[in-house]
Amino acid sequence: MTAINLLDCLEEFVKEKTADIKLQVRVRNQNPEEKKERAADVYKMRLPKKEDKTEKVPYILLQFLTGKDDKEDGEPEESVCKIRIVVATYSEDGSEGATDVLNVILRIRSELKKAGVIGKRFVLHNPLEYIVYPDSTEPYYMGEMVTNWSIPTVEREVTKIWQE
């Protein structure tokens, strides 16, 4: 459950920290001079439907990638996980679209680094890796950041009984 709790905390954090970044929204049959903008919606794991890959843009997608429980000799048990943060934007201007992706990624990066801890129990670790995809997918632009987190471990109940 802790990875799910981390995703919930990240969803709230990312929504709050990116709410003021207004991004273009594709409006069908619009006047070319008219632009509609809004903050990116935030989703966990997957978008609701396949067609949402373009219909829901701009969005931020939080995806659990991997988890690992580990224990070194003489060290306490540790649980870690990787979360990918995908950013998708729209723009008829290629430079602006790619820059919007980078802007959102850098905002999330700086806010995560400032906070260091999310939900009072999830600790951010280096490295933070991020990329704006160089592919030609205009008018849609994407990038991602991979984050590493330590999460609370699950204790064995049998061990706790024997220690009492």
Side-chain angles (χ1 to χ4, degrees):
M1 284 294 283
T2 52
I4 294 171
N5 299 124
L6 172 58
L7 285 172
D8 290 341
C9 290
L10 269 174
E11 177 185 30
E12 185 179 316
F13 182 87
V14 168
K15 277 182 183 178
E16 178 186 325
K17 301 302 183 182
T18 61
D20 65 324
I21 301 175
K22 301 304 179 207
L23 302 163
Q24 285 187 49
V25 177
R26 183 174 190 171
V27 180
R28 306 221 187 268
N29 304 321
Q30 77 174 25
N31 175 347
E33 300 300 314
E34 180 184 336
K35 290 184 180 179
K36 184 177 175 188
E37 297 180 326
R38 67 169 170 79
D41 290 329
V42 180
Y43 299 93
K44 294 178 291 188
M45 295 303 288
R46 300 272 182 254
L47 296 170
K49 297 181 280 192
K50 183 178 180 177
E51 56 272 11
D52 290 343
K53 288 181 182 179
T54 56
E55 296 297 319
K56 296 284 186 184
V57 173
Y59 62 80
I60 299 168
L61 182 61
L62 309 172
Q63 296 179 311
F64 172 86
L65 292 179
T66 63
K68 180 179 177 183
D69 294 329
D70 198 12
K71 181 171 178 16
E72 299 287 329
D73 289 338
E75 295 290 323
E77 188 170 351
E78 179 181 60
S79 291
V80 295
C81 70
K82 287 184 187 278
I83 303 290
R84 174 172 42 202
I85 302 171
V86 178
V87 176
T89 65
Y90 165 84
S91 179
E92 291 297 331
D93 178 332
S95 177
E96 186 176 322
T99 301
D100 285 346
V101 170
L102 183 59
N103 184 36
V104 173
I105 288 173
L106 292 177
R107 168 71 66 85
I108 294 169
R109 174 188 165 270
S110 69
E111 294 295 336
L112 285 174
K113 289 186 79 71
K114 277 194 264 184
V117 176
I118 300 293
K120 298 182 183 176
R121 58 188 174 160
F122 304 108
V123 180
L124 179 69
H125 292 279
N126 288 325
L128 282 179
E129 299 176 57
Y130 44 98
I131 183 173
V132 175
Y133 301 145
D135 306 354
S136 180
T137 58
E138 64 256 339
Y140 301 102
Y141 303 90
M142 297 185 78
E144 71 178 64
M145 177 170 37
V146 176
T147 59
N148 296 283
W149 299 88
S150 61
I151 59 177
T153 59
V154 177
E155 289 188 34
R156 277 186 156 176
E157 291 182 13
V158 174
T159 304
K160 288 172 76 174
I161 292 170
W162 284 101
Q163 289 176 349
E164 293 177 357

